[in-house]
Amino acid sequence: MTKLTELREMSDEQLQATATEAAESLFRLRFQSQSERLNTPSEIKKNRKTIARVKTIQTERQLAAQKS
């Protein structure tokens, strides 16, 4: 899981790549959870939180750009 400070230091492109990677991983985990037993069910929660953190940072940056 990526820490918030690490996410804030990333560029916009890196943030988007991180969000895309987490979303793809979440999709695979959800699919796997329906078809078989997961080894680490907590990974679903971690990916959801990572996506939420990235979206929050992206929104903060958009709002800061609008104020400027």
Side-chain angles (χ1 to χ4, degrees):
M1 182 165 58
T2 312
K3 290 187 177 184
L4 188 59
T5 54
E6 293 173 2
L7 288 173
R8 289 192 190 278
E9 294 172 356
M10 290 184 179
S11 68
D12 292 336
E13 293 82 20
Q14 290 174 323
L15 277 175
Q16 187 60 41
T18 302
T20 303
E21 180 182 317
E24 289 173 359
S25 177
L26 180 61
F27 175 77
R28 284 190 305 262
L29 286 169
R30 284 183 176 165
F31 192 83
Q32 186 179 5
S33 71
Q34 294 299 317
S35 60
E36 60 187 68
R37 187 177 192 131
L38 286 176
N39 293 333
T40 53
S42 63
E43 285 298 314
I44 292 175
K45 186 175 181 180
K46 289 178 185 177
N47 282 318
R48 288 179 62 216
K49 285 189 174 196
T50 300
I51 293 168
R53 285 182 178 122
V54 168
K55 287 185 177 184
T56 300
I57 292 170
Q58 288 174 334
T59 303
E60 287 174 351
R61 289 182 181 180
Q62 287 175 354
L63 292 174
Q66 287 177 357
K67 286 185 178 181
S68 302

